[in-house]
């Protein structure tokens, strides 16, 4: 059977294939983050202290997990405004289940994650079966889930988790031993080098362009240098190092990145976000892809709420408050994920949340009030949206 003209590798129309293959350039975002760190470090040297950067990573992990889910729904051209309320509900379920009802902590965490799955399935049905705009039903979900959170917490409105619980101690005081951290660095570098060598061999057999051996060596050395510098700095002096929650966030980002770049599902996500109609005509399972993205987003939002509860050692009416979903969406957009779908990366969540949390952390160290922090974050978000619009118009031209 001959190939159809204008159709490429995945059976998709050429324009859609080119767009879904387009990957967000992360270098400008990395440069912007480095610039923010240099400015904040120059104004207040305490910002770049290892102890403060460790705290920064711990603060970023829960919101980063939520932002990772937001990236997925944005990639398919949808949005979820209820991630903050859902994270608060998940925190309430963990606290009430483990403290009030006496459940094992693991069971309470699973119940919280199950809430995320159920909400995601409901959103997916509303989007794919009824065709409702995601902005509308997730806004309704924001209000509904906030009410459920208050009802679950009950009249007290706040429940403290026992400090001696393995869950709280793991999130608050759980850090990788230095030997384990260095072993992870060595393993990551070795796996990266092996994958690059295997990819080069595979492309050579297919007579395709491939990276040269010197390029692979340089990439591997750069990766090793960056990871080694991070670990050495975070464990310098009295700094505690890399927390277990930070490691969990990093693993989720890596797994999501591999799924988006190396699997049929990932190609379907970018195709649906690039041109939904063309993807449907090409045989992409659009409904299933959208539903899975909503489920992943809601589940990650619930997980972010669980981590937030463990970090604070409590769940209250303010958990997952009004600015949580704004920060998560802003982090995804600032990290390079397009509001129009089809363009973004799992690493967008990492870079975006680091930008926002770095600004908040640095301004707090300078005793700047909350109003100024909101204004600075809003200005950065507006700049990211303007850049996104310009890039979209350039692609269309």
């Amino acid at each position: 059977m001959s190939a159809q003209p204008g159709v490429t590798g995945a059976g998709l129309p050429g324009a859609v294939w080119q767009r879904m293959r387009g990957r967000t350039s992360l270098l400008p975002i990395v440069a912007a983050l480095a610039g923010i760190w240099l400015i904040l470090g120059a104004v207040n040297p305490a910002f770049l202290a290892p102890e403060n950067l460790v705290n920064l990573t711990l603060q970023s992990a829960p919101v980063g997990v939520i932002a990772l889910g937001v990236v997925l729904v944005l990639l398919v051209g949808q949005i979820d405004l209820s991630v903050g309320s859902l994270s608060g509900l998940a925190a309430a379920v963990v606290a009430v289940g483990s403290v009030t009802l006496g459940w094992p902590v693991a069971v309470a965490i699973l119940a919280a994650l199950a809430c995320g799955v159920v909400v995601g399935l409901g959103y997916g049905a509303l989007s794919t079966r009824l065709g409702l705009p995601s902005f509308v039903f997730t806004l309704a979900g924001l209000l509904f889930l906030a009410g459920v959170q208050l009802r679950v917490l009950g009249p007290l409105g706040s429940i403290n988790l026992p400090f001696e619980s393995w869950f709280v101690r793991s999130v608050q005081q759980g850090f990788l031993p230095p030997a384990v951290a260095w072993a992870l660095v060595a393993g990551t570098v070795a796996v990266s080098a092996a994958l690059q060598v295997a990819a080069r061999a595979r492309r050579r057999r297919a007579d395709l362009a491939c990276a040269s051996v010197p390029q692979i060596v340089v990439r591997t050395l750069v990766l090793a240098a960056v990871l080694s510098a991070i670990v050495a700095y975070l464990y310098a002096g009295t700094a505690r190092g890399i927390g277990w929650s930070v490691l969990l966030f990093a693993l989720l980002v890596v797994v999501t990145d591999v799924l988006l770049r190396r699997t049929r599902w990932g190609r379907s996500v970018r195709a649906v976000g690039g041109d939904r109609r063309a993807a449907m005509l090409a045989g992409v399972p659009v409904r299933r892809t959208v539903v899975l993205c909503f489920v992943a987003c809601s589940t990650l939002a619930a997980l972010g709420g669980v981590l937030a509860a463990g970090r604070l050692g409590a769940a209250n009416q303010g958990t997952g408050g009004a600015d949580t979903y704004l920060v998560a969406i802003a982090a995804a957009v600032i990290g390079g994920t397009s509001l129009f779908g089809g363009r973004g990366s799992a690493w967008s969540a990492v870079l975006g949340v680091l930008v926002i949390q770095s600004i908040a952390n640095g301004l707090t160290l300078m005793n700047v009030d909350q109003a100024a922090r909101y204004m600075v974050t809003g200005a950065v978000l507006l700049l990211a949206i303007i850049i996104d619009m310009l890039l979209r118009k350039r692609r269309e031209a």
Side-chain angles (χ1 to χ4, degrees), residues 11-38:
L12 299 172
V16 181
W17 174 252
Q18 291 300 324
R19 182 172 181 183
M20 62 179 274
R21 288 187 62 187
R23 294 172 57 188
T24 304
S25 176
L26 300 178
L27 290 180
I29 307 167
V30 173
L33 178 61
I36 291 172
W37 281 20
L38 290 175

Side-chain angles (χ1 to χ4, degrees), residues 88 91-92 149 153 157-159 312 314-320:
Q149 176 187 355
L153 288 172
S158 179
I159 298 177
L312 297 176
N316 53 52
Q317 296 176 352
T319 308

Side-chain angles (χ1 to χ4, degrees), residues 90-160:
V93 169
V94 170
V96 171
S98 60
V99 176
T100 306
L101 301 180
W103 297 348
V105 176
V107 174
I109 293 175
L110 290 176
L113 297 180
C115 291
V117 174
V118 171
V119 171
L121 288 173
Y123 285 167
L126 291 174
S127 176
T128 59
R129 299 294 178 181
L130 299 182
L132 297 180
S134 57
F135 181 90
V136 175
F137 63 72
T138 58
L139 179 59
L142 182 154
L143 300 173
F144 179 81
L145 295 174
V148 175
Q149 176 187 355
L150 297 180
R151 182 60 59 87
V152 170
L153 288 172
L156 294 178
S158 179
I159 298 177
N160 294 325

Side-chain angles (χ1 to χ4, degrees), residues 176-191 231:
L176 277 69
V180 175
W182 285 109
L184 286 176
V185 169
T188 302
V189 172
V191 170
V231 171

Side-chain angles (χ1 to χ4, degrees), residues 64-111:
V65 171
I66 300 174
L68 182 61
V70 174
V71 168
L72 293 176
V73 292
L74 288 178
L75 280 174
V76 292
Q78 305 291 330
I79 196 169
D80 188 348
L81 301 178
S82 68
V83 288
S85 296
L86 181 54
S87 68
L89 173 59
V93 169
V94 170
V96 171
S98 60
V99 176
T100 306
L101 301 180
W103 297 348
V105 176
V107 174
I109 293 175
L110 290 176

